Amino acid sequence: MNDQKSIKLDVGLPDRGVMLKMERCAEFLARMIEKYGREVLEEIEAVEPEEKENREQ
């Protein structure tokens, strides 16, 4: 006879603790973007022309 074993995966919603940690992380990232976003963007834009110049050489 054919005895097949099946594996049940519990892929339900994350528990409350996990959801709270994810929310705290998202809030932290939002605060950092608000605080440093413009500064980081300016640095990225300043580096892009240099990288483009180096690729063309």
Coordinates of all heavy atoms in Angstrom, one line a residue:
M1 N 0.8 -1.2 0.0 CA 0.0 0.0 0.0 C 0.9 1.2 0.0 O 2.0 1.2 0.4 CB -0.9 0.0 1.2 CG -1.7 -1.2 1.5 SD -3.3 -1.0 0.8 CE -3.8 -2.7 0.7
N2 N 0.3 2.3 -0.4 CA 1.0 3.6 -0.5 C 0.7 4.5 0.7 O -0.4 5.0 0.8 CB 0.6 4.3 -1.8 CG 1.5 5.4 -2.2 OD1 2.4 5.7 -1.5 ND2 1.2 6.0 -3.3
D3 N 1.7 4.6 1.6 CA 1.5 5.5 2.7 C 2.3 6.8 2.5 O 3.5 6.8 2.5 CB 2.1 4.8 4.0 CG 1.3 3.6 4.5 OD1 0.1 3.7 4.3 OD2 1.9 2.7 5.0
Q4 N 1.5 7.8 2.1 CA 2.1 9.1 1.9 C 2.0 10.0 3.1 O 0.9 10.0 3.8 CB 1.4 9.8 0.7 CG 1.7 9.1 -0.6 CD 1.0 9.9 -1.7 OE1 0.2 10.7 -1.5 NE2 1.4 9.6 -2.9
K5 N 3.1 10.6 3.4 CA 3.1 11.6 4.6 C 3.0 13.0 4.0 O 3.7 13.3 3.0 CB 4.3 11.4 5.4 CG 4.4 10.1 6.1 CD 5.7 10.0 6.9 CE 5.8 8.6 7.6 NZ 7.0 8.5 8.4
S6 N 2.2 13.8 4.6 CA 2.1 15.2 4.1 C 2.6 16.1 5.2 O 2.5 15.8 6.4 CB 0.6 15.5 3.8 OG -0.2 15.4 4.9
I7 N 3.1 17.2 4.8 CA 3.6 18.2 5.7 C 2.7 19.4 5.6 O 2.5 19.9 4.5 CB 5.1 18.6 5.3 CG1 6.0 17.4 5.4 CG2 5.6 19.7 6.2 CD1 7.4 17.7 4.8
K8 N 2.2 19.8 6.7 CA 1.4 21.0 6.8 C 2.3 22.2 7.1 O 3.0 22.2 8.1 CB 0.3 20.9 7.8 CG -0.9 20.0 7.4 CD -2.0 20.1 8.3 CE -3.2 19.3 7.8 NZ -4.4 19.5 8.7
L9 N 2.2 23.2 6.3 CA 2.9 24.5 6.6 C 2.0 25.5 7.2 O 0.9 25.7 6.7 CB 3.5 25.0 5.3 CG 4.5 24.2 4.6 CD1 4.9 24.8 3.3 CD2 5.7 23.9 5.4
D10 N 2.4 26.0 8.3 CA 1.6 27.1 9.0 C 2.1 28.4 8.4 O 3.1 29.0 8.9 CB 1.8 27.0 10.5 CG 0.9 28.0 11.2 OD1 -0.1 28.6 10.6 OD2 1.1 28.3 12.4
V11 N 1.4 28.9 7.4 CA 1.8 30.2 6.8 C 0.8 31.3 7.0 O 0.5 32.1 6.2 CB 2.1 30.0 5.3 CG1 3.3 29.2 5.0 CG2 0.9 29.4 4.6
G12 N 0.2 31.3 8.2 CA -0.8 32.2 8.6 C -0.2 33.6 8.8 O 1.0 33.8 8.5
L13 N -1.0 34.5 9.3 CA -0.5 35.8 9.6 C 0.6 35.8 10.7 O 0.5 35.0 11.6 CB -1.7 36.7 10.0 CG -2.7 37.0 9.0 CD1 -3.9 37.7 9.6 CD2 -2.1 37.7 7.8
P14 N 1.5 36.7 10.7 CA 2.5 36.8 11.8 C 1.8 37.1 13.1 O 0.8 37.8 13.1 CB 3.5 37.9 11.4 CG 3.1 38.3 10.0 CD 1.8 37.7 9.7
D15 N 2.4 36.7 14.2 CA 1.8 37.0 15.5 C 1.9 38.5 15.8 O 2.6 39.2 15.2 CB 2.4 36.1 16.6 CG 3.8 36.4 16.9 OD1 4.4 37.3 16.3 OD2 4.4 35.6 17.8
R16 N 1.3 38.8 16.9 CA 1.2 40.3 17.3 C 2.6 40.8 17.6 O 2.9 42.0 17.2 CB 0.3 40.4 18.5 CG 0.2 41.8 19.0 CD -0.9 41.9 20.1 NE -0.9 43.1 20.9 CZ -1.4 44.2 20.4 NH1 -1.9 44.3 19.2 NH2 -1.3 45.3 21.2
G17 N 3.5 40.1 18.2 CA 4.8 40.5 18.5 C 5.6 40.9 17.3 O 6.3 41.9 17.2
V18 N 5.5 40.0 16.3 CA 6.2 40.2 15.0 C 5.7 41.5 14.3 O 6.4 42.3 13.8 CB 6.1 39.0 14.1 CG1 6.6 39.3 12.7 CG2 6.8 37.8 14.7
M19 N 4.4 41.6 14.3 CA 3.7 42.8 13.7 C 4.2 44.1 14.4 O 4.5 45.1 13.7 CB 2.2 42.7 13.7 CG 1.7 41.6 12.9 SD 2.0 41.7 11.1 CE 1.0 43.1 10.7
L20 N 4.3 44.1 15.7 CA 4.7 45.3 16.4 C 6.2 45.6 16.1 O 6.5 46.8 15.9 CB 4.5 45.1 17.9 CG 3.1 45.1 18.4 CD1 3.0 44.7 19.9 CD2 2.4 46.4 18.2
K21 N 7.0 44.6 16.0 CA 8.4 44.8 15.7 C 8.6 45.4 14.3 O 9.4 46.3 14.0 CB 9.2 43.5 15.8 CG 9.4 43.1 17.3 CD 10.2 41.8 17.4 CE 10.3 41.4 18.8 NZ 10.9 40.1 19.0
M22 N 7.8 44.9 13.3 CA 7.8 45.4 12.0 C 7.4 46.8 11.9 O 7.9 47.6 11.2 CB 6.9 44.5 11.0 CG 7.5 43.1 10.8 SD 6.5 42.0 9.9 CE 5.9 42.9 8.5
E23 N 6.3 47.1 12.7 CA 5.8 48.5 12.7 C 6.8 49.5 13.3 O 7.1 50.6 12.8 CB 4.5 48.6 13.5 CG 3.8 49.9 13.5 CD 2.5 49.9 14.1 OE1 1.8 48.8 14.2 OE2 2.1 51.0 14.6
R24 N 7.5 49.0 14.4 CA 8.6 49.9 15.0 C 9.7 50.1 14.0 O 10.2 51.2 13.9 CB 9.1 49.2 16.2 CG 8.2 49.4 17.5 CD 8.9 48.8 18.7 NE 10.1 49.6 19.0 CZ 11.0 49.2 19.8 NH1 11.0 48.0 20.3 NH2 12.1 49.9 20.0
C25 N 10.1 49.1 13.3 CA 11.1 49.2 12.3 C 10.7 50.2 11.2 O 11.5 51.1 10.8 CB 11.4 47.8 11.7 SG 12.7 47.9 10.4
A26 N 9.5 50.1 10.7 CA 9.0 51.0 9.6 C 9.0 52.4 10.1 O 9.4 53.3 9.4 CB 7.6 50.5 9.2
E27 N 8.6 52.6 11.4 CA 8.5 54.0 11.9 C 9.9 54.5 12.1 O 10.2 55.7 11.8 CB 7.8 54.0 13.3 CG 6.3 53.7 13.2 CD 5.7 53.5 14.5 OE1 6.4 53.5 15.6 OE2 4.4 53.5 14.6
F28 N 10.9 53.7 12.5 CA 12.3 54.1 12.6 C 12.8 54.5 11.2 O 13.4 55.6 11.1 CB 13.1 53.0 13.2 CG 14.6 53.3 13.2 CD1 15.2 54.2 14.1 CD2 15.4 52.7 12.2 CE1 16.5 54.4 14.0 CE2 16.8 53.0 12.2 CZ 17.3 53.8 13.1
L29 N 12.6 53.7 10.2 CA 13.1 54.0 8.9 C 12.5 55.3 8.4 O 13.2 56.1 7.7 CB 12.8 52.9 7.9 CG 13.6 51.6 8.2 CD1 13.1 50.5 7.3 CD2 15.1 51.9 7.9
A30 N 11.2 55.5 8.6 CA 10.5 56.8 8.2 C 11.2 58.0 8.9 O 11.4 59.0 8.2 CB 9.0 56.7 8.5
R31 N 11.4 57.9 10.2 CA 12.1 59.0 10.9 C 13.5 59.3 10.3 O 13.9 60.4 10.1 CB 12.2 58.7 12.4 CG 10.9 58.8 13.1 CD 11.1 58.9 14.6 NE 12.0 57.9 15.1 CZ 11.6 56.6 15.5 NH1 10.3 56.3 15.4 NH2 12.5 55.8 16.0
M32 N 14.2 58.2 10.0 CA 15.6 58.4 9.5 C 15.5 59.1 8.1 O 16.3 59.9 7.7 CB 16.4 57.1 9.4 CG 16.7 56.5 10.7 SD 17.7 57.6 11.8 CE 16.5 58.2 12.9
I33 N 14.6 58.7 7.3 CA 14.4 59.3 5.9 C 14.0 60.7 6.1 O 14.6 61.6 5.4 CB 13.4 58.5 5.1 CG1 13.9 57.1 4.7 CG2 13.0 59.3 3.8 CD1 12.9 56.2 4.1
E34 N 13.1 61.0 7.0 CA 12.7 62.4 7.2 C 13.9 63.3 7.7 O 14.1 64.4 7.3 CB 11.6 62.5 8.2 CG 10.3 62.1 7.7 CD 9.2 62.1 8.8 OE1 9.5 62.4 9.9 OE2 8.0 61.8 8.4
K35 N 14.7 62.7 8.5 CA 15.8 63.4 9.1 C 17.0 63.6 8.2 O 17.6 64.6 8.1 CB 16.3 62.7 10.4 CG 17.3 63.5 11.2 CD 17.6 62.8 12.6 CE 18.5 63.6 13.4 NZ 18.8 62.9 14.7
Y36 N 17.4 62.5 7.5 CA 18.6 62.5 6.7 C 18.4 62.4 5.2 O 19.3 62.4 4.4 CB 19.5 61.3 7.1 CG 20.0 61.4 8.6 CD1 19.5 60.5 9.5 CD2 20.9 62.4 9.0 CE1 19.9 60.6 10.8 CE2 21.3 62.4 10.3 CZ 20.8 61.5 11.2 OH 21.2 61.6 12.5
G37 N 17.2 62.2 4.8 CA 16.9 62.0 3.4 C 17.4 63.0 2.4 O 18.1 62.6 1.4
R38 N 17.3 64.2 2.6 CA 17.8 65.3 1.7 C 19.3 65.2 1.6 O 19.9 65.3 0.6 CB 17.3 66.6 2.1 CG 15.8 66.9 1.9 CD 15.5 68.3 2.3 NE 14.0 68.4 2.3 CZ 13.3 69.0 1.4 NH1 13.9 69.5 0.3 NH2 12.0 69.1 1.5
E39 N 19.9 65.1 2.8 CA 21.4 65.0 2.9 C 21.9 63.9 2.1 O 22.9 64.0 1.3 CB 21.8 64.9 4.3 CG 23.3 64.9 4.5 CD 23.7 64.8 6.0 OE1 22.9 65.3 6.9 OE2 24.8 64.3 6.3
V40 N 21.3 62.7 2.2 CA 21.8 61.5 1.5 C 21.6 61.7 0.0 O 22.4 61.3 -0.8 CB 21.1 60.2 2.1 CG1 21.4 59.0 1.2 CG2 21.5 60.0 3.5
L41 N 20.4 62.2 -0.3 CA 20.1 62.4 -1.8 C 21.1 63.3 -2.4 O 21.6 63.1 -3.5 CB 18.7 62.9 -1.9 CG 18.2 63.1 -3.3 CD1 18.2 61.8 -4.1 CD2 16.8 63.7 -3.3
E42 N 21.5 64.4 -1.7 CA 22.4 65.4 -2.2 C 23.8 64.7 -2.4 O 24.5 64.9 -3.4 CB 22.6 66.6 -1.3 CG 21.4 67.5 -1.3 CD 21.4 68.6 -0.3 OE1 22.4 68.6 0.5 OE2 20.5 69.4 -0.2
E43 N 24.2 63.8 -1.5 CA 25.4 63.1 -1.6 C 25.4 62.2 -2.8 O 26.4 62.1 -3.6 CB 25.7 62.3 -0.4 CG 26.2 63.2 0.8 CD 26.4 62.3 2.1 OE1 26.7 61.1 1.9 OE2 26.4 62.9 3.2
I44 N 24.3 61.5 -3.0 CA 24.2 60.5 -4.1 C 24.3 61.3 -5.5 O 24.9 60.9 -6.4 CB 22.8 59.8 -4.1 CG1 22.9 58.8 -2.9 CG2 22.5 59.0 -5.4 CD1 21.6 58.1 -2.6
E45 N 23.6 62.4 -5.5 CA 23.6 63.2 -6.7 C 24.9 63.8 -7.0 O 25.3 64.0 -8.2 CB 22.5 64.3 -6.7 CG 21.1 63.8 -6.8 CD 20.0 64.8 -6.5 OE1 20.3 65.9 -6.0 OE2 18.9 64.6 -6.9
A46 N 25.7 64.1 -6.0 CA 27.1 64.7 -6.1 C 28.0 63.6 -6.7 O 28.9 63.9 -7.4 CB 27.6 65.2 -4.8
V47 N 27.8 62.4 -6.3 CA 28.7 61.3 -6.7 C 28.3 60.8 -8.1 O 29.2 60.4 -8.9 CB 28.6 60.1 -5.7 CG1 29.3 58.9 -6.2 CG2 29.1 60.5 -4.4
E48 N 27.1 60.9 -8.6 CA 26.7 60.4 -9.9 C 27.5 61.0 -11.0 O 27.9 60.2 -11.9 CB 25.2 60.5 -10.1 CG 24.4 59.5 -9.3 CD 22.9 59.8 -9.5 OE1 22.5 60.8 -10.0 OE2 22.1 58.9 -9.0
P49 N 27.7 62.3 -11.1 CA 28.5 62.8 -12.2 C 29.9 62.3 -12.2 O 30.5 62.0 -13.3 CB 28.5 64.3 -12.0 CG 27.3 64.6 -11.1 CD 27.1 63.3 -10.3
E50 N 30.5 62.1 -11.1 CA 31.9 61.5 -11.0 C 31.9 60.1 -11.5 O 32.8 59.7 -12.3 CB 32.4 61.6 -9.6 CG 32.6 62.9 -9.0 CD 32.9 62.9 -7.5 OE1 33.2 61.8 -7.0 OE2 32.9 64.0 -6.9
E51 N 30.9 59.3 -11.2 CA 30.9 57.9 -11.6 C 30.6 57.9 -13.1 O 31.2 57.1 -13.8 CB 29.7 57.2 -10.9 CG 30.0 56.9 -9.5 CD 28.9 56.2 -8.8 OE1 27.8 56.1 -9.3 OE2 29.1 55.7 -7.7
K52 N 29.8 58.8 -13.7 CA 29.6 58.8 -15.1 C 30.8 59.2 -15.8 O 31.2 58.6 -16.9 CB 28.5 59.8 -15.4 CG 28.0 59.8 -16.8 CD 26.9 60.8 -17.1 CE 26.5 60.8 -18.5 NZ 25.4 61.7 -18.8
E53 N 31.6 60.1 -15.3 CA 32.9 60.5 -15.9 C 33.8 59.4 -15.9 O 34.5 59.1 -16.9 CB 33.5 61.7 -15.1 CG 33.7 62.9 -15.8 CD 34.3 64.0 -14.9 OE1 35.4 63.8 -14.4 OE2 33.6 65.0 -14.7
N54 N 33.9 58.6 -14.8 CA 34.8 57.5 -14.8 C 34.5 56.4 -15.7 O 35.3 55.7 -16.3 CB 34.9 56.9 -13.3 CG 35.5 57.9 -12.4 OD1 36.3 58.8 -12.8 ND2 35.2 57.7 -11.1
R55 N 33.2 56.2 -16.0 CA 32.7 55.2 -16.9 C 33.1 55.5 -18.4 O 33.3 54.7 -19.2 CB 31.2 54.9 -16.8 CG 30.9 54.0 -15.6 CD 29.4 53.7 -15.6 NE 28.9 54.5 -14.6 CZ 27.7 55.1 -14.6 NH1 26.9 54.9 -15.6 NH2 27.3 55.8 -13.6
E56 N 33.0 56.8 -18.7 CA 33.3 57.3 -20.0 C 34.8 57.3 -20.4 O 35.1 57.3 -21.5 CB 32.7 58.7 -20.2 CG 31.2 58.8 -20.2 CD 30.7 60.2 -20.2 OE1 31.5 61.1 -20.1 OE2 29.5 60.4 -20.3
Q57 N 35.6 57.2 -19.4 CA 37.1 57.2 -19.7 C 37.6 55.9 -20.1 O 37.3 54.9 -20.0 CB 37.9 57.7 -18.4 CG 37.6 59.2 -18.1 CD 38.3 59.6 -16.9 OE1 39.0 58.8 -16.2 NE2 38.2 60.9 -16.5

